[in-house]
Amino acid sequence: MTGKITFTMIKPSAFAAGHAGQILARIEEAGYRIIALKKVTLSLEQAGSFYEMHQGKPFYDELTAMMSSGPIVAAVLEKENAVEAFRTFIGATDPAKAAEGTIRKLYGKSLSENAVHGSDSDESAARESAFFFSSLEMF
């Protein structure tokens, strides 16, 4: 059974480029309900904790450095089949391979600076949402 929530982050490069508002507007226009939202800057340690499942992989240090390089916008989104639908909506991880009109095609710069993070499973969505938000902050 698929869940109704997913988690996303607008990454530092997209935030710095001034795309956060446009990305959030597109998310809402696509029928997602934003049930939690905040702007934060992750420390290197917090980024490492969030991406702990990738520790030891060749891209881990670059990923955590990039994700702690400036503000991000974290959000929990609600929609039927949220995880799968959102991953289709944002496009392939590599913006050069993403479908036209997807968030990553429109706002991504590169494989590592691909504008947004999207949960890859219902379990990840729950864990990632809880990393940033308490139950009191989601409504």
Side-chain angles (χ1 to χ4, degrees), residues 8 11 32 83-108 110-111 114-119:
T8 190
K11 295 183 177 182
Y32 294 88
V83 170
E84 185 178 334
F86 192 70
R87 290 186 67 79
T88 299
F89 174 71
I90 62 176
T93 305
D94 183 348
K97 297 176 182 174
E100 291 298 324
T102 61
I103 297 296
R104 288 175 170 161
K105 186 69 161 187
L106 292 167
Y107 303 107
S110 65
L111 185 60
N114 58 11
V116 294
H117 166 88
S119 299

Side-chain angles (χ1 to χ4, degrees), residues 111-132:
L111 185 60
S112 62
E113 294 183 3
N114 58 11
V116 294
H117 166 88
S119 299
D120 63 3
S121 68
D122 291 337
E123 295 77 22
S124 291
R127 180 184 59 79
E128 293 167 352
S129 296
F131 184 91
F132 282 94

Side-chain angles (χ1 to χ4, degrees), residues 27-132:
I27 288 169
E28 287 188 314
E29 288 165 6
Y32 294 88
R33 190 169 79 86
I34 298 171
I35 63 173
L37 181 71
K38 69 171 67 169
K39 178 179 90 169
V40 298
T41 300
L42 296 172
S43 68
L44 186 59
E45 293 76 23
Q46 289 168 322
S49 181
F50 184 81
Y51 287 108
E52 69 184 350
M53 75 290 299
H54 298 304
Q55 194 168 16
K57 295 179 181 173
F59 59 86
Y60 176 80
D61 289 340
E62 178 186 1
L63 176 63
T64 55
M66 184 269 299
M67 289 304 295
S68 61
S69 67
I72 60 104
V73 176
V76 180
L77 309 174
E78 183 179 62
K79 186 176 184 173
E80 288 296 324
N81 195 25
V83 170
E84 185 178 334
F86 192 70
R87 290 186 67 79
T88 299
F89 174 71
I90 62 176
T93 305
D94 183 348
K97 297 176 182 174
E100 291 298 324
T102 61
I103 297 296
R104 288 175 170 161
K105 186 69 161 187
L106 292 167
Y107 303 107
K109 292 180 177 182
S110 65
L111 185 60
S112 62
E113 294 183 3
N114 58 11
V116 294
H117 166 88
S119 299
D120 63 3
S121 68
D122 291 337
E123 295 77 22
S124 291
R127 180 184 59 79
E128 293 167 352
S129 296
F131 184 91
F132 282 94

